[in-house]
Amino acid sequence: MPVSRSVSILALTLALGAAPVSTRSALAQEPASSAAPVFSDQQRQAIESIVKEYLIKNPDVLQEAIAEGERRQMETQRLAQAAALKEAKDALHNGPHDVVAGNPNGDVTLVEFFDYNCGYCRKALGDIQTLIKTDPKLRVVIKDFPVLGPESLEASQIALAVKQQAKGEKLFEFHQKLLESKGRVNGARALQVAKEMGLDVARIQRDAAGPEVKAALAENRGLGDKLGLSGTPAFVIGEEIIPGAVGVDPIRKTIADVRQCGHASC
C-alpha cells in the first residue's frame, strides 16, 4: 500500500478516535476491511508519529472527518423521522384527544406539539393565530406535550379533561387563554381559566384523573419519542418536522409547498 494512502487511512482512524462517540458511530457504518494490517509496537509508534505530524500540518482532515460523521448522523435521523412520520400520519392528524383549530376540513394539516410553560410556545401562538386568520384552508392540530415538569403535566391533564365538555372554537379559546397566562401554568391556573369560561370544574377534576386523559398523554409521548422530538414547540407539516418558534414565514412556505407538490419542499 503506498505511504500516502496508508497515512490517509491512519489519519482518518486517529481522527475517529478523537471524534465524539456519535460521530464515530456514524462513520463506523462503513464495512471494515477483511484484511486489517497488524503492526509491531515499534511500527505502531513510527506510524503514530507520522500521523501526528500529518494532522498538525493538515488539521482540516480531522474537521472533515467530524463534519462527515455529523452529516451521516443527520441523514440517518432524517430517514428515521421520515419513516416515523409516514407510519404515524393518522395518529398525528386524527388523534381523538387533540384540539383542532382553523378549518376542520382543510387541505393541509399543521400539527404542533407544545407545553403550557414553554415561552417559545407562547410566542408561537401568535404565529398560529396569524396562519389561521390568513389561510382559510389550513387545519391545525394541537397536541399536549408536557416536558417542562409537574406543573406542565397538571395543566395538560386539566386541558385534556376540558376537551371532554368543550368543543370547537370554545376549546381553542381555552387553549389560548391558558397559554397566554402570565407566570407558571399549573393545574390550579387551568381550573381557574375553565371556571372563568363557565365550564363544569368538578367534572373536569374527575375527568383529569380518568383513563382518557392518561391515554392521550401516553399517545402524545409515544409520538414524540417516535419522531425524536426533544423540545417544544415542534411543528409537523407533511413530511417535515420544524423544531422551535421559527416564525410565520418558514411555516407558511412549507404549507405552500405541501399544497403545491405534496412535499415539504418542492
Side-chain angles (χ1 to χ4, degrees), residues 184-247:
R184 294 289 295 179
V185 178
N186 55 21
R189 176 57 187 153
L191 285 171
Q192 181 62 36
V193 172
K195 183 178 180 180
E196 291 170 359
M197 293 181 62
L199 298 173
D200 185 342
V201 173
R203 178 185 168 188
I204 290 171
Q205 289 176 305
R206 291 195 302 271
D207 290 341
E212 286 193 37
V213 168
K214 291 179 181 178
L217 290 169
E219 179 179 284
N220 289 353
R221 280 195 298 269
L223 283 172
D225 290 344
K226 185 178 292 186
L227 298 178
L229 304 185
S230 58
T232 54
F235 302 96
V236 180
I237 312 168
E239 61 195 27
E240 183 82 4
I241 296 175
I242 303 176
V246 296

Side-chain angles (χ1 to χ4, degrees), residues 1-17 37 39 43-44 46-48 50-52 54-55 61:
M1 179 182 295
V3 173
S4 60
R5 175 63 173 164
S6 298
V7 170
S8 297
I9 292 174
L10 288 165
L12 180 57
T13 301
L14 185 59
L16 286 175
F39 301 108
Q43 288 173 322
R44 187 179 297 279
I47 291 170
E48 288 175 354
I50 294 171
V51 170
K52 180 178 180 181
Y54 177 83
L55 289 178
V61 170

Side-chain angles (χ1 to χ4, degrees), residues 98-103 110 112 114 116 121 124-133 138-144 159 162-163 165-180 193 197 199 235:
D98 302 324
V99 176
V100 177
N103 185 343
L110 166 66
E112 180 193 11
F114 79 98
Y116 279 113
C121 297
L125 176 61
D127 299 335
I128 296 294
Q129 292 167 331
T130 297
L131 288 165
I132 289 173
K133 289 177 182 177
L138 180 64
R139 179 175 181 263
V140 177
V141 172
I142 300 169
K143 291 184 177 290
D144 285 77
V162 165
K163 189 178 186 300
Q165 60 177 288
K167 307 296 179 184
E169 292 183 3
K170 190 166 187 177
L171 183 59
F172 188 51
E173 180 186 354
F174 172 86
H175 169 76
Q176 294 173 95
K177 285 180 178 294
L178 189 53
L179 196 54
E180 289 170 342
V193 172
M197 293 181 62
L199 298 173
F235 302 96

Side-chain angles (χ1 to χ4, degrees), residues 25-95:
S25 176
L27 288 176
Q29 294 174 10
E30 292 297 326
S33 171
S34 59
V38 177
F39 301 108
S40 67
D41 290 342
Q42 185 177 3
Q43 288 173 322
R44 187 179 297 279
Q45 290 174 3
I47 291 170
E48 288 175 354
S49 177
I50 294 171
V51 170
K52 180 178 180 181
E53 182 181 355
Y54 177 83
L55 289 178
I56 290 173
K57 292 181 178 179
N58 301 275
D60 57 309
V61 170
L62 180 57
Q63 294 173 355
E64 289 174 7
I66 293 173
E68 175 63 13
E70 291 174 346
R71 186 195 67 78
R72 294 191 187 190
Q73 185 179 29
M74 289 178 64
E75 179 63 12
T76 299
Q77 182 179 6
R78 186 190 69 79
L79 292 173
Q81 283 185 334
L85 284 170
K86 184 176 180 180
E87 181 182 346
K89 182 178 179 179
D90 187 60
L92 281 168
H93 289 191
N94 303 305

